[in-house]
Amino acid sequence: MTRTQRRTRSIALTMGLAMTLAACGGTTQDSAQDDPVAGDEETLDPTDADDTADGDANAGGAEDYEEGLAITMLPKSVNNPYFEASSDGAQMVVEDELSGTYEYTGPSEATASSQVSYINTLSQQGVDALLLSANDPNALCSSLDQASSGGTAIVTFDSDVDPECRDLFVSQVDGEEVGRALIEMAAEQIDGAGEIAILSATANATNQNAWIDVIEQELANNPDYADIELVATVYGDDEDEKSFAETQGLLQAHPDLEAIISPTTVGIAAAARYLQGSDYQGEVALTGLGTPNQMREFVEDGTVEEFALWDPGALGELAAYTGAALASDMITGEEGDTFTAGDLGEYVLGQDGVILLGPPTRFNAENIDEFDF
């Protein structure tokens, strides 16, 4: 029996109990109340989101979503511009498109232990769907299993857990594509030679580690990068001050450093702020993943030449539609299931319950003012 089948069975048992109580004059707890950014030629992959589905009879329209669903987003940490943008997208879908109730909650520090307490609370509340960006692939599994057994659809986005611990994963892009793009941008900015370092988020972040693995594989196997040496990988834990300090530490420990890759929106902004106005500005390249709005000033003053990202708002939208589709029994979680995610188009569930949003976009001085997120 799959996780989704167990979840559906739990819902059926709960509904049966509710009907029995109603027949006996008892009461039950009331349920909850009443365009992705176009990347055109700048995208790393020309695939369009609409091409991700085969348009078969399993695809569902907006009329198939259950109304009044209670959906909660739990990010790695709050007060993070990236996740706030994702939350805006999800909230719009849940409240405006699906007439449901939405909550955005989470810890101030990006740790697995801090997320556990939130998952346990949401499990007790019995939300219909949980949209989770995980700080650890395994440490959350026990709490997620408890929530799932209570009928909550578990959808991870941005950063996954072990597939056995959730129903579906909404991935921003193919992980290998991100890793290759990161090292490619760094190589271009240092003319293919020199020392580089990585400023990551947390040491256990699934997505960060997958991208770093690809970077390391490219450095080891791609002759184009034979003259590039990765000298250090440090972790800012998605905290601004720590990421700022780690940037300082890298530059002091490696005086010949040519570039820093920071595949985290908090890290790249903190590193840019350290470089800005310092002797390193224009001397040490910085690239990675960030939002146009937070990085615009650093591009305009030459601190950062180019970076990349997908639309986090669209990622939040897709995560919300995915959770709602699962909670509405429009999809079962099986490979090949399709559903319509509003204006984003139709999507198909891939292997291991993975759904891809689409390709990222490279941002630089030529195009950054075309984007607002």
Side-chain angles (χ1 to χ4, degrees):
M1 182 178 290
T2 66
R3 285 181 60 87
T4 303
Q5 288 171 329
R6 290 198 301 270
R7 185 183 65 80
T8 303
R9 182 180 179 185
S10 174
I11 294 173
L13 291 173
T14 302
M15 291 177 62
L17 178 59
M19 292 174 64
T20 301
L21 290 173
C24 297
T27 59
T28 59
Q29 182 178 1
D30 195 14
S31 58
Q33 287 180 340
D34 324 312
D35 293 302
V37 174
D40 51 64
E41 73 276 8
E42 295 294 330
T43 57
L44 302 175
D45 184 337
T47 304
D48 187 87
D50 288 342
D51 294 332
T52 59
D54 57 12
D56 63 19
N58 292 328
E63 69 278 3
D64 297 315
Y65 287 96
E66 183 178 328
E67 291 190 358
L69 294 172
I71 297 178
T72 296
M73 176 176 284
L74 176 58
K76 292 180 181 177
S77 62
V78 294
N79 303 319
N80 181 323
Y82 173 85
F83 288 117
E84 289 173 356
S86 295
S87 177
D88 289 343
Q91 183 174 13
M92 181 276 294
V93 168
V94 175
E95 295 182 349
D96 298 344
E97 300 297 326
L98 304 179
S99 301
T101 58
Y102 177 79
E103 181 181 12
Y104 178 65
T105 186
S108 58
E109 296 183 356
T111 64
S113 59
S114 62
Q115 284 187 312
V116 167
S117 61
Y118 283 91
I119 295 171
N120 290 340
T121 298
L122 294 170
S123 178
Q124 294 171 0
Q125 294 174 349
V127 297
D128 293 299
L130 171 61
L131 315 178
L132 168 71
S133 179
N135 282 318
D136 188 282
N138 300 304
L140 308 176
C141 287
S142 178
S143 296
L144 292 175
D145 283 342
Q146 182 177 356
S148 179
S149 66
T152 297
I154 308 298
V155 175
T156 53
F157 74 102
D158 175 70
S159 184
D160 200 11
V161 294
D162 186 309
E164 293 296 323
C165 306
R166 48 76 171 162
D167 293 305
L168 301 172
F169 171 49
V170 179
S171 179
Q172 47 274 59
V173 286
D174 178 81
E176 291 190 4
E177 183 178 83
V178 174
R180 288 193 296 268
L182 291 170
I183 186 59
E184 183 178 289
M185 287 188 295
E188 290 172 354
Q189 294 176 42
I190 63 174
D191 296 325
E195 295 182 355
I196 66 171
I198 296 173
L199 170 62
S200 188
T202 60
N204 294 326
T206 311
N207 54 350
Q208 303 279 315
N209 289 336
W211 302 332
I212 293 171
D213 285 344
V214 173
I215 292 173
E216 293 174 342
Q217 292 170 16
E218 287 291 305
L219 290 173
N221 302 316
N222 192 329
D224 292 340
Y225 307 135
D227 295 327
I228 298 177
E229 180 185 5
L230 176 61
V231 295
T233 298
V234 297
Y235 303 93
D237 292 342
D238 261 353
E239 296 176 7
D240 179 77
E241 292 185 3
K242 185 173 182 182
S243 298
F244 186 91
E246 291 291 350
T247 302
Q248 181 182 37
L250 280 175
L251 294 168
Q252 292 176 346
H254 304 279
D256 296 326
L257 197 64
E258 294 286 340
I260 297 173
I261 299 173
S262 187
T264 158
T265 59
V266 174
I268 192 173
R273 200 172 75 255
Y274 184 88
L275 294 176
Q276 188 180 51
S278 73
D279 292 339
Y280 299 103
Q281 185 177 19
E283 299 297 322
V284 176
L286 172 64
T287 191
L289 303 177
T291 67
N293 288 350
Q294 73 177 149
M295 297 301 295
R296 184 171 283 105
E297 68 172 289
F298 304 116
V299 171
E300 291 176 346
D301 69 11
T303 302
V304 174
E305 180 179 329
E306 189 174 51
F307 64 99
L309 197 68
W310 43 91
D311 183 349
L315 181 64
E317 289 181 38
L318 182 55
Y321 276 117
T322 301
L326 193 59
S328 301
D329 293 324
M330 291 168 52
I331 54 177
T332 66
E334 298 296 328
E335 182 176 356
D337 279 356
T338 60
F339 66 101
T340 300
D343 291 339
L344 296 179
E346 292 182 353
Y347 284 83
V348 61
L349 274 60
Q351 188 175 9
D352 293 327
V354 176
I355 302 167
L356 289 177
L357 173 65
T361 300
R362 289 193 185 191
F363 304 101
N364 49 48
E366 295 182 0
N367 71 348
I368 194 168
D369 287 336
E370 300 173 14
F371 302 90
D372 184 20
F373 65 88

